Amino acid sequence: NQVNITIIGNLAARKIPVLIVANKIDIRKSNTKKVEAAFPDYTVVGLSAKYGKNLDKFYEEVFKLAKKV
């Protein structure tokens, strides 16, 4: 939505690294591709915090961003 776009725009303007995290991929109707389409300029990681699914990918992407700073 517009609020998310505004927040991400402000972070990018300040040169703060952005990682989009799509939580709740354990829910059947979740759609990570929709989030990726909404934010094509950023890395999107789908995860399930409840079940710990894709946490390794999340940490990998956080460390990549940390190295860029």
Side-chain angles (χ1 to χ4, degrees):
N1 66 26
Q2 189 61 39
V3 173
N4 291 333
I5 292 169
T6 301
I7 291 169
I8 291 170
N10 286 332
L11 292 171
R14 294 181 178 146
K15 298 190 181 352
I16 298 172
V18 175
L19 174 64
I20 309 294
V21 180
N23 191 24
K24 300 194 181 286
I25 63 168
D26 51 282
I27 295 175
R28 185 175 294 199
K29 66 179 182 175
S30 69
N31 188 349
T32 306
K33 296 290 182 198
K34 188 175 179 180
V35 178
E36 290 172 350
F39 301 100
D41 296 334
Y42 301 97
T43 302
V44 176
V45 176
L47 66 83
S48 169
K50 182 176 183 178
Y51 296 109
K53 186 174 181 181
N54 283 352
L55 284 177
D56 54 340
K57 178 70 173 167
F58 167 73
Y59 288 124
E60 179 182 309
E61 294 300 330
V62 168
F63 291 134
K64 283 182 188 177
L65 284 178
K67 288 180 182 179
K68 292 181 180 179
V69 177

